Amino acid sequence: MTRTKNSITVAALAVAATAFSVHAADGRYPVTYVQKVEITHPSHRSAWENKDFLDCNDVVLTEEDVFYALRHMRRISWKSYDPENTDTTGCEGKTLVTFKNGKILAMGIEPTGRISTGEFDAKMKPTASPPSFYECDPCRQRKMALLKDALHRADERRLKRLEAEGRIPPGEAEVRLKRSKAERDKP
């Protein structure tokens, strides 16, 4: 009986260790080896920008965002990252992260937690490593919570435009805006 309990305990620990490693950040980019973070474009808009959802002028990438992303990003396939198949704000901050070994990681970080990367050597020549794509749900939750006011402003723009176009009844924009704000402000 004790042997069975030990076997079950060992099996459970192995499963837990496997699950933890699946959710671990990319070990190629340890935060402890970061030498320098240079934000090259704190706020950049792409062709995917949707001001009805979020105005890119309201989104600014910070050094804290970069470190948070390095700690929490999970690698995904291009298919999972492709803007045509996923939600995107069209806003992205760009940064160069230099590691102590000379490797430079160029990152594009969206407030939705979508991250694209490319590796370069110390002379800014691309390495053999192909571009990588990541998602970071903790980054999305954190950044979107910080962007509540910007999201409220985008909702207001969208709803007032719909009301002006006659697509929603007069006064309905205010009602929907209050409802949306209350939903977003829930803990």
Side-chain angles (χ1 to χ4, degrees):
M1 182 100 166
T2 305
R3 183 178 235 181
T4 304
K5 282 184 179 180
N6 286 341
S7 297
I8 291 171
T9 303
V10 168
L13 289 173
V15 168
T18 302
F20 181 74
S21 65
V22 167
H23 294 289
D26 192 327
R28 297 178 300 163
Y29 311 117
V31 173
T32 54
Y33 291 111
V34 172
Q35 182 177 353
K36 178 175 89 171
V37 172
E38 178 187 352
I39 308 287
T40 56
H41 292 92
S43 182
H44 176 77
R45 67 184 42 86
S46 73
W48 299 96
E49 181 186 24
N50 178 356
K51 287 189 181 196
D52 284 344
F53 177 66
L54 186 64
D55 186 334
C56 292
N57 291 328
D58 292 331
V59 183
V60 177
L61 182 67
T62 66
E63 191 172 305
E64 184 180 345
D65 295 332
V66 175
F67 280 105
Y68 197 82
L70 288 170
R71 282 193 294 275
H72 298 284
M73 64 188 196
R74 311 289 176 262
R75 196 171 193 166
I76 59 173
S77 67
W78 164 251
K79 185 177 180 182
S80 297
Y81 179 85
D82 186 357
E84 291 187 15
N85 299 329
T86 57
D87 290 331
T88 180
T89 61
C91 305
E92 178 181 70
K94 296 185 179 193
T95 185
L96 296 174
V97 180
T98 305
F99 293 88
K100 293 176 184 173
N101 64 1
K103 183 185 327 183
I104 297 172
L105 183 66
M107 300 175 73
I109 303 174
E110 295 184 27
T112 57
R114 293 163 29 91
I115 301 167
S116 60
T117 66
E119 280 187 23
F120 297 87
D121 65 17
K123 295 179 181 177
M124 285 305 290
K125 292 185 180 183
T127 65
S129 183
S132 297
F133 306 97
Y134 296 85
E135 68 179 14
C136 179
D137 192 52
C139 299
R140 179 190 60 76
Q141 291 174 6
R142 177 181 166 274
K143 195 66 173 181
M144 296 312 255
L146 294 172
L147 293 171
K148 278 184 184 180
D149 289 336
L151 294 169
H152 294 320
R153 288 190 301 275
D155 284 345
E156 185 174 18
R157 279 191 304 275
R158 178 180 50 80
L159 290 168
K160 294 211 176 196
R161 189 188 74 241
L162 290 173
E163 194 175 77
E165 293 171 352
R167 294 173 59 192
I168 60 174
E172 183 67 17
E174 197 61 39
V175 171
R176 290 186 186 185
L177 189 58
K178 284 180 185 175
R179 189 176 328 130
S180 141
K181 185 173 169 115
E183 261 317 294
R184 197 172 279 128
D185 289 341
K186 282 184 181 176

